[in-house]
Amino acid sequence: MTFHNAQKYILTAPTKTSATESLERTRFLCEWLNSPQRNLKYIRFAGSNGKTVCQTMLASILHENGNRVGSLLMPVHDNPRENVIIGKDILSIDELQKYVT
């Protein structure tokens, strides 16, 4: 899969599903990946204002203290790579292609 095909796939993937469908897909994926969420420590930001600023500051602090930090930002930008940040770097073209494939 090329980068452009991966980008097109992400940007045209259906976004509206029923809650039941969405939950079933998530459970299937987690089981297929051997439930990695059980070994993760994460912080989720919610609310109307300030999520991006708080996330950026906290990620920077954690990264500078030697923690491995990844961030998933929403909504999807024109370039989906900009939504996934590991450390201080956006996802590479090769990584995007690998993960979407």
Side-chain angles (χ1 to χ4, degrees), residues 24-41:
E24 287 173 11
R25 283 191 211 174
T26 303
R27 285 183 177 150
F28 173 80
L29 181 61
C30 288
E31 288 174 17
W32 186 72
L33 295 171
N34 202 24
S35 300
Q37 74 280 5
R38 293 186 181 153
N39 299 319
L40 295 175
K41 295 179 183 176

Side-chain angles (χ1 to χ4, degrees), residues 13-83:
T15 57
K16 301 287 183 188
T17 60
S18 72
T20 304
E21 252 183 337
S22 182
L23 185 57
E24 287 173 11
R25 283 191 211 174
T26 303
R27 285 183 177 150
F28 173 80
L29 181 61
C30 288
E31 288 174 17
W32 186 72
L33 295 171
N34 202 24
S35 300
Q37 74 280 5
R38 293 186 181 153
N39 299 319
L40 295 175
K41 295 179 183 176
Y42 61 91
I43 299 170
R44 180 177 182 213
F45 291 93
S48 300
N49 297 303
K51 294 180 295 295
T52 302
V53 171
C54 288
Q55 176 276 325
T56 303
M57 287 191 302
L58 185 57
S60 180
I61 292 166
L62 292 169
H63 179 75
E64 292 300 319
N65 283 303
N67 294 285
R68 185 167 183 231
V69 179
S71 302
L72 176 62
L73 308 173
M74 294 295 172
V76 175
H77 294 104
D78 289 337
N79 182 348
R81 293 176 46 230
E82 296 173 10
N83 288 81

